[in-house]
Amino acid sequence: MKTQVLNVKPISKSDSLNVVLSIDQEEYCFTFSRQFDQIGETKLQIITYDPAFGDIFQFNQHLVAEVMSLVKRVYRGEKVTFPKEVGDFGTPRAALDTLKPFKGEQVGS
């Protein structure tokens, strides 16, 4: 199923973004937040997302990486045009079908 990021908009008075995605014909909205941490002399940017986003995309880590890449670009202030196709949403069954069985075991049993 085709997966697209439809829009990424800042949430006023916060360092968070609303990310609107579509999987096939269904739309979802998730909140991504940013905070900074200092380790020694290095300032790290930490981006987190709604647990629901992780639940929906747990078998589609390639899509998590693509969405996170777009979110980072928006946080850097880059111009990104939407909608942006990020890949194909696979089902848990399709993910299991790509696994190789261990010796003497069947996948999915």
Side-chain angles (χ1 to χ4, degrees), residues 8 15-19 30-37 43-51 53-54 64-77:
V8 176
D15 202 7
S16 298
L17 302 170
N18 276 330
V19 178
F30 303 102
T31 301
F32 284 65
S33 299
R34 176 175 67 169
Q35 62 185 35
F36 293 93
D37 200 359
K43 188 176 185 179
L44 298 175
Q45 172 180 259
I46 301 165
I47 299 173
T48 57
Y49 47 75
D50 289 342
F53 177 80
V64 172
E66 291 295 321
V67 173
M68 198 60 107
S69 176
L70 287 172
V71 166
K72 288 176 187 176
R73 289 177 60 195
V74 170
Y75 272 128
R76 283 194 300 261

Side-chain angles (χ1 to χ4, degrees), residues 3-4 7 10 14 19-21 30 33 37 59 65-67 73 78 83 92 95 97 99 104 108:
T3 305
Q4 292 183 314
N7 210 336
S14 74
V19 178
V20 180
L21 294 126
F30 303 102
S33 299
D37 200 359
F59 296 106
E66 291 295 321
V67 173
R73 289 177 60 195
E78 294 180 27
D97 287 345
L99 296 177

Side-chain angles (χ1 to χ4, degrees), residues 6-108:
L6 301 176
N7 210 336
V8 176
K9 294 258 185 194
I11 298 172
S12 65
K13 299 183 183 179
S14 74
D15 202 7
S16 298
L17 302 170
N18 276 330
V19 178
V20 180
L21 294 126
S22 69
I23 302 170
D24 203 20
Q25 300 298 318
E26 287 199 48
E27 284 190 21
Y28 301 87
C29 184
F30 303 102
T31 301
F32 284 65
S33 299
R34 176 175 67 169
Q35 62 185 35
F36 293 93
D37 200 359
Q38 190 81 27
I39 298 180
E41 294 185 24
T42 305
K43 188 176 185 179
L44 298 175
Q45 172 180 259
I46 301 165
I47 299 173
T48 57
Y49 47 75
D50 289 342
F53 177 80
D55 291 343
I56 290 173
F57 291 95
Q58 66 181 327
F59 296 106
N60 292 276
Q61 291 299 304
H62 62 289
L63 296 178
V64 172
E66 291 295 321
V67 173
M68 198 60 107
S69 176
L70 287 172
V71 166
K72 288 176 187 176
R73 289 177 60 195
V74 170
Y75 272 128
R76 283 194 300 261
E78 294 180 27
K79 176 96 168 98
V80 183
T81 23
F82 297 102
K84 185 77 78 184
E85 190 164 337
V86 290
D88 188 40
F89 186 87
T91 62
R93 178 75 244 167
L96 287 173
D97 287 345
T98 64
L99 296 177
K100 294 180 182 176
F102 292 105
K103 292 179 185 176
E105 294 184 26
Q106 291 288 79
V107 173

